[in-house]
Amino acid sequence: MNTIKECFDTILRGDKEKSHLAARNVRKLVHSSSAAGREKYDEIAALVRTAQENYARISEDWRQENFVMAVSVIYFLHDRENQPDFLFPWLFQLLQHQNGHVRHAAVKMISHEIGPLTYHLRFPGEKSSFHKFTSEDADTILHSLFASLNGLLSAFWQPKYKRYKYINSLPPSPYKSAQMVLAELEDSCGKDIDRLVGH
């Protein structure tokens, strides 16, 4: 498995052990200097772009975990700076997964987009040269993100959660995963939070 594409082929088609090893190998390949080059990034962007449809065809829980973990490692190279929420419907589905590793990977991927989406709030008047969406688009996405997260929190709320003062002390659950994303979002939005929630 010398390329990321080969790793993904093994994750999707190999036996349990090979799939697991391939998923772990993705991180090494992403950060190795020998695998550099434009082709690698085009290939990675394509893998992320098709992640949702490829995931939909996976039936085994262990293969779902391997696939999502591997996608979360390459996600930041998705090449969709003009549409940062392009995978949010899938990521929200993953936030509700029974597997904690899958949920953690989803938290990581959604959180990756919070920085770019809140750039205009954290640096008013400055234009990001990297992100290709307007501050109005970002506000709309942020508002939708708040609404979706609050919907998940309502759906997964249990009275026992009242006992916990801190998010980190909550038992592993979709509720905790959604709270982690919401905390990151509120922190990054700062004083603009009220305006966005009522957008």
Side-chain angles (χ1 to χ4, degrees):
M1 290 178 290
N2 298 317
T3 69
I4 288 169
K5 187 168 186 321
E6 284 174 15
C7 287
F8 270 87
D9 288 342
T10 305
I11 290 166
L12 291 169
R13 294 179 189 88
D15 63 30
K16 195 169 185 176
E17 183 60 24
K18 284 182 182 157
S19 177
H20 177 80
L21 291 172
R24 302 312 174 262
N25 200 37
V26 168
R27 182 178 302 278
K28 289 181 200 151
L29 287 172
V30 166
H31 299 294
S32 76
S33 55
S34 60
R38 184 70 209 161
E39 285 170 64
K40 173 180 142 183
Y41 295 108
D42 289 343
E43 201 173 79
I44 289 172
L47 285 166
V48 177
R49 226 178 1 261
T50 58
Q52 184 170 0
E53 58 205 68
N54 285 325
Y55 176 85
R57 292 193 280 268
I58 302 172
S59 54
E60 307 97 325
D61 288 346
W62 54 267
R63 198 182 302 278
Q64 286 177 348
E65 178 182 328
N66 292 337
F67 182 78
V68 173
M69 300 283 283
V71 170
S72 74
V73 171
I74 62 171
Y75 177 80
F76 73 102
L77 296 164
H78 60 57
D79 197 24
R80 294 293 286 270
E81 275 61 46
N82 60 333
Q83 196 187 356
D85 59 341
F86 78 108
L87 277 182
F88 277 12
W90 180 53
L91 297 178
F92 271 89
Q93 179 191 341
L94 297 182
L95 275 181
Q96 301 170 62
H97 202 282
Q98 75 275 11
N99 183 311
H101 295 295
V102 170
R103 290 195 309 273
H104 180 73
V107 168
K108 184 172 143 186
M109 289 186 271
I110 296 172
S111 297
H112 174 78
E113 299 302 350
I114 291 174
L117 284 167
T118 57
Y119 185 91
H120 68 293
L121 304 176
R122 292 177 291 117
F123 305 102
E126 279 188 39
K127 180 84 177 101
S128 167
S129 58
F130 185 64
H131 306 108
K132 303 175 180 118
F133 49 84
T134 66
S135 55
E136 290 78 16
D137 290 340
D139 281 354
T140 302
I141 293 168
L142 289 169
H143 174 69
S144 176
L145 189 51
F146 273 114
S148 298
L149 287 167
N150 281 308
L152 276 186
L153 291 173
S154 295
F156 287 103
W157 163 255
Q158 293 180 32
K160 67 179 181 183
Y161 295 146
K162 275 187 186 166
R163 293 201 302 265
Y164 300 93
K165 190 174 176 184
Y166 301 106
I167 294 169
N168 283 346
S169 60
L170 282 164
S173 62
Y175 182 82
K176 179 179 183 177
S177 298
Q179 279 284 15
M180 288 167 76
V181 178
L182 186 62
E184 172 97 16
L185 192 53
E186 289 174 342
D187 193 43
S188 295
C189 288
K191 61 183 180 353
D192 290 282
I193 192 89
D194 295 334
R195 176 179 67 79
L196 288 163
V197 171
H199 185 67

